Amino acid sequence: MVKDRYDIVVLISGRGSNLRALVKHLQAANSAATVSAVVSDRADAAGLRFAEEEGIPTCVVPRNSKTLNNQEFNSVLADAVNRLKPDLVVLAGFMRIVTKEFLQRFPNKVVNIHPSLLPAFRGLHAQRRALESGVRLAGCTVHYVAEEVDAGPIIAQAAVPVLPGDDEDSLGERILAAEHKLLPAAVLAISEGLVTIEHSGKSAKVRLDASLSTDPDAKLASIGGTL
Ligand code: GRF
């Protein structure tokens, strides 16, 4: 069932270009889904300034490793996010590892964007490692978050070529441009109830509604293709 209101809480640590792309895309699509709050572990995250300019409430949950271990940080973070009553939590450049306990508070509601074609190049510096490995296709993935870092049922992927002469910056920019289209398309599809997680034993994968394959705006059918 599509709700009248669909509240998205975005977690960031830095620049927030994916946050910006998501906010702008949802506005342009006149969607019932809106970014209703932005949470950061860093008060100096540039994305917070963008949110403030847009009138989106912000909240900082600082991570001071001297006073909080990661479990404690996640508990404070989960309380802060829970108060915002999200329909969906989007990790968009959030540089902290969320724990099992955090995920249990928001079952099937936490998604992440990662700058590689998962399961390749999990973790940090995915773009650099793609370049170093000699792959000809790089890209990005939107996935539900599982306990293991950069793992969980894949919702959508977009591929970009690795071109001769690429360095980390040029490849990173090409991937980022794809991220800015893929994340909003995936979030919109989730908010419209077009994305389902199917469990089979211990594994889980995502089923996309058939309508997405014919929807030129959704672009989720472009798995393995270009955006
Ligand atoms: C993106 O490359 C995203 O895939 C990764 O962190 C980066 C965040 O960039 N998880 P931005 O803050 O959205 O500009």
Short mmCIF file of all heavy atoms in Angstrom, two decimals, residues 12-20 47 91-95 112-116 127 140-141 150 172 175-176 179-180 183, ligand 1:
data_model
loop_
_atom_site.label_atom_id
_atom_site.label_comp_id
_atom_site.label_asym_id
_atom_site.label_seq_id
_atom_site.Cartn_x
_atom_site.Cartn_y
_atom_site.Cartn_z
N ILE A 12 24.60 10.76 7.15
CA ILE A 12 25.78 11.18 6.38
C ILE A 12 26.96 11.43 7.32
O ILE A 12 26.77 11.61 8.52
CB ILE A 12 25.51 12.48 5.58
CG1 ILE A 12 25.18 13.64 6.53
CG2 ILE A 12 24.40 12.30 4.57
CD1 ILE A 12 25.23 15.02 5.89
N SER A 13 28.15 11.50 6.69
CA SER A 13 29.33 11.91 7.47
C SER A 13 30.07 13.06 6.81
O SER A 13 30.98 13.62 7.42
CB SER A 13 30.32 10.74 7.62
OG SER A 13 29.76 9.71 8.39
N GLY A 14 29.71 13.37 5.55
CA GLY A 14 30.55 14.36 4.85
C GLY A 14 29.81 15.22 3.86
O GLY A 14 28.77 15.81 4.16
N ARG A 15 30.32 15.20 2.63
CA ARG A 15 29.91 16.09 1.55
C ARG A 15 28.41 16.10 1.30
O ARG A 15 27.82 17.14 1.05
CB ARG A 15 30.69 15.56 0.33
CG ARG A 15 30.46 16.14 -0.97
CD ARG A 15 31.43 15.48 -1.94
NE ARG A 15 31.24 14.02 -2.04
CZ ARG A 15 31.90 13.25 -2.87
NH1 ARG A 15 32.82 13.77 -3.67
NH2 ARG A 15 31.67 11.95 -2.90
N GLY A 16 27.80 14.93 1.26
CA GLY A 16 26.34 14.88 1.11
C GLY A 16 25.83 15.09 -0.30
O GLY A 16 24.69 15.52 -0.49
N SER A 17 26.65 14.74 -1.31
CA SER A 17 26.16 14.94 -2.68
C SER A 17 25.02 13.96 -3.01
O SER A 17 24.11 14.30 -3.77
CB SER A 17 27.29 14.83 -3.70
OG SER A 17 27.79 13.52 -3.79
N ASN A 18 25.06 12.76 -2.44
CA ASN A 18 23.94 11.83 -2.66
C ASN A 18 22.69 12.30 -1.94
O ASN A 18 21.58 12.14 -2.45
CB ASN A 18 24.32 10.42 -2.18
CG ASN A 18 25.11 9.67 -3.23
OD1 ASN A 18 24.57 9.30 -4.28
ND2 ASN A 18 26.40 9.48 -2.98
N LEU A 19 22.86 12.90 -0.78
CA LEU A 19 21.71 13.48 -0.07
C LEU A 19 21.06 14.55 -0.95
O LEU A 19 19.84 14.56 -1.13
CB LEU A 19 22.20 14.11 1.25
CG LEU A 19 21.24 15.08 1.92
CD1 LEU A 19 20.03 14.34 2.46
CD2 LEU A 19 21.94 15.86 3.04
N ARG A 20 21.89 15.43 -1.50
CA ARG A 20 21.38 16.50 -2.36
C ARG A 20 20.61 15.92 -3.56
O ARG A 20 19.51 16.34 -3.87
CB ARG A 20 22.55 17.36 -2.85
CG ARG A 20 22.16 18.48 -3.80
CD ARG A 20 23.41 19.14 -4.36
NE ARG A 20 24.15 19.88 -3.35
CZ ARG A 20 23.98 21.18 -3.10
NH1 ARG A 20 23.11 21.88 -3.82
NH2 ARG A 20 24.68 21.78 -2.17
N GLY A 47 27.13 18.23 4.15
CA GLY A 47 25.74 17.88 3.83
C GLY A 47 24.73 18.46 4.82
O GLY A 47 23.57 18.68 4.47
N LEU A 91 21.73 5.22 4.31
CA LEU A 91 23.13 5.53 4.62
C LEU A 91 23.75 6.07 3.33
O LEU A 91 23.88 5.34 2.35
CB LEU A 91 23.89 4.28 5.09
CG LEU A 91 23.25 3.43 6.19
CD1 LEU A 91 24.21 2.30 6.61
CD2 LEU A 91 22.88 4.26 7.41
N ALA A 92 24.10 7.35 3.34
CA ALA A 92 24.64 7.98 2.13
C ALA A 92 25.97 8.62 2.49
O ALA A 92 26.05 9.80 2.82
CB ALA A 92 23.66 9.02 1.59
N GLY A 93 27.02 7.78 2.47
CA GLY A 93 28.32 8.27 2.89
C GLY A 93 28.42 8.37 4.40
O GLY A 93 29.07 9.28 4.92
N PHE A 94 27.79 7.44 5.09
CA PHE A 94 27.87 7.41 6.55
C PHE A 94 29.05 6.51 6.90
O PHE A 94 29.03 5.32 6.58
CB PHE A 94 26.56 6.87 7.15
CG PHE A 94 26.50 6.96 8.64
CD1 PHE A 94 26.57 8.19 9.28
CD2 PHE A 94 26.37 5.83 9.42
CE1 PHE A 94 26.51 8.29 10.67
CE2 PHE A 94 26.29 5.91 10.80
CZ PHE A 94 26.37 7.15 11.42
N MET A 95 30.07 7.09 7.52
CA MET A 95 31.35 6.40 7.66
C MET A 95 31.49 5.63 8.99
O MET A 95 32.59 5.47 9.50
CB MET A 95 32.51 7.41 7.52
CG MET A 95 32.50 8.12 6.18
SD MET A 95 32.57 6.98 4.78
CE MET A 95 34.28 6.45 4.89
N ASN A 112 21.89 1.27 1.82
CA ASN A 112 23.20 1.93 1.70
C ASN A 112 23.54 2.09 0.22
O ASN A 112 23.10 1.30 -0.61
CB ASN A 112 24.26 1.04 2.38
CG ASN A 112 25.67 1.61 2.30
OD1 ASN A 112 25.88 2.79 2.60
ND2 ASN A 112 26.63 0.79 1.91
N ILE A 113 24.33 3.12 -0.08
CA ILE A 113 24.89 3.23 -1.43
C ILE A 113 26.40 3.04 -1.33
O ILE A 113 27.06 3.63 -0.48
CB ILE A 113 24.54 4.58 -2.10
CG1 ILE A 113 25.26 4.74 -3.45
CG2 ILE A 113 24.84 5.79 -1.24
CD1 ILE A 113 24.37 4.75 -4.61
N HIS A 114 26.91 2.17 -2.21
CA HIS A 114 28.34 1.84 -2.18
C HIS A 114 28.92 2.02 -3.59
O HIS A 114 28.29 1.60 -4.57
CB HIS A 114 28.53 0.39 -1.71
CG HIS A 114 29.97 0.01 -1.59
ND1 HIS A 114 30.78 0.46 -0.56
CD2 HIS A 114 30.76 -0.75 -2.40
CE1 HIS A 114 31.99 -0.02 -0.74
NE2 HIS A 114 32.01 -0.75 -1.83
N PRO A 115 30.12 2.61 -3.69
CA PRO A 115 30.67 2.91 -5.02
C PRO A 115 31.41 1.75 -5.69
O PRO A 115 32.55 1.88 -6.12
CB PRO A 115 31.62 4.08 -4.73
CG PRO A 115 32.10 3.82 -3.35
CD PRO A 115 30.95 3.17 -2.62
N SER A 116 30.75 0.59 -5.74
CA SER A 116 31.30 -0.53 -6.52
C SER A 116 30.15 -1.42 -6.93
O SER A 116 29.04 -1.31 -6.41
CB SER A 116 32.31 -1.36 -5.71
OG SER A 116 31.65 -2.24 -4.83
N GLN A 127 36.82 2.61 -5.35
CA GLN A 127 37.16 3.11 -6.69
C GLN A 127 38.63 2.82 -7.01
O GLN A 127 38.97 2.37 -8.09
CB GLN A 127 36.89 4.62 -6.78
CG GLN A 127 35.48 5.04 -6.44
CD GLN A 127 35.28 5.41 -4.98
OE1 GLN A 127 35.92 4.86 -4.08
NE2 GLN A 127 34.35 6.33 -4.72
N CYS A 140 28.15 1.25 -9.12
CA CYS A 140 27.65 1.49 -7.76
C CYS A 140 26.47 0.57 -7.49
O CYS A 140 25.84 0.05 -8.42
CB CYS A 140 27.25 2.96 -7.60
SG CYS A 140 26.13 3.59 -8.86
N THR A 141 26.20 0.41 -6.20
CA THR A 141 25.17 -0.53 -5.75
C THR A 141 24.35 0.11 -4.64
O THR A 141 24.92 0.71 -3.73
CB THR A 141 25.82 -1.82 -5.19
OG1 THR A 141 26.66 -2.40 -6.18
CG2 THR A 141 24.76 -2.83 -4.75
N ASP A 150 29.02 -3.65 3.83
CA ASP A 150 28.76 -3.60 2.38
C ASP A 150 28.23 -4.92 1.84
O ASP A 150 28.62 -5.38 0.76
CB ASP A 150 30.02 -3.14 1.62
CG ASP A 150 30.41 -1.72 2.00
OD1 ASP A 150 29.51 -0.91 2.26
OD2 ASP A 150 31.62 -1.44 2.05
N GLY A 172 36.15 7.98 -10.03
CA GLY A 172 35.26 8.29 -8.90
C GLY A 172 34.14 9.23 -9.30
O GLY A 172 32.99 9.05 -8.88
N ILE A 175 31.55 7.32 -11.37
CA ILE A 175 30.72 6.48 -10.50
C ILE A 175 29.75 7.34 -9.71
O ILE A 175 28.56 7.02 -9.59
CB ILE A 175 31.61 5.65 -9.54
CG1 ILE A 175 32.46 4.65 -10.32
CG2 ILE A 175 30.75 4.91 -8.51
CD1 ILE A 175 33.51 3.92 -9.48
N LEU A 176 30.24 8.49 -9.21
CA LEU A 176 29.38 9.35 -8.39
C LEU A 176 28.19 9.88 -9.20
O LEU A 176 27.07 9.96 -8.69
CB LEU A 176 30.21 10.52 -7.83
CG LEU A 176 29.55 11.32 -6.71
CD1 LEU A 176 29.32 10.46 -5.46
CD2 LEU A 176 30.40 12.54 -6.34
N GLU A 179 25.77 7.24 -9.14
CA GLU A 179 25.15 7.14 -7.81
C GLU A 179 24.00 8.14 -7.68
O GLU A 179 22.95 7.83 -7.10
CB GLU A 179 26.18 7.45 -6.71
CG GLU A 179 27.28 6.43 -6.57
CD GLU A 179 28.21 6.76 -5.41
OE1 GLU A 179 27.74 7.22 -4.37
OE2 GLU A 179 29.43 6.56 -5.56
N HIS A 180 24.23 9.34 -8.22
CA HIS A 180 23.23 10.41 -8.05
C HIS A 180 21.93 10.10 -8.79
O HIS A 180 20.91 10.72 -8.52
CB HIS A 180 23.82 11.74 -8.53
CG HIS A 180 24.92 12.23 -7.65
ND1 HIS A 180 25.80 13.23 -8.01
CD2 HIS A 180 25.32 11.81 -6.41
CE1 HIS A 180 26.66 13.43 -7.03
NE2 HIS A 180 26.39 12.57 -6.06
N LEU A 183 20.58 6.12 -6.64
CA LEU A 183 20.02 6.16 -5.27
C LEU A 183 18.59 6.72 -5.27
O LEU A 183 17.68 6.09 -4.71
CB LEU A 183 20.93 6.96 -4.34
CG LEU A 183 20.42 7.05 -2.89
CD1 LEU A 183 20.40 5.67 -2.22
CD2 LEU A 183 21.26 8.02 -2.06
C1 GRF B 1 29.66 7.89 -2.04
O1 GRF B 1 30.63 7.52 -2.97
C2 GRF B 1 28.95 6.68 -1.50
O2 GRF B 1 28.81 5.66 -2.44
C3 GRF B 1 29.86 6.25 -0.39
O3 GRF B 1 30.32 7.45 0.19
C4 GRF B 1 30.29 8.48 -0.77
C5 GRF B 1 29.47 9.59 -0.21
O4 GRF B 1 29.52 10.76 -1.00
N1 GRF B 1 29.20 5.36 0.52
P1 GRF B 1 28.55 11.96 -0.69
O5 GRF B 1 28.78 12.37 0.76
O6 GRF B 1 27.14 11.50 -0.92
O7 GRF B 1 28.95 13.05 -1.63
#
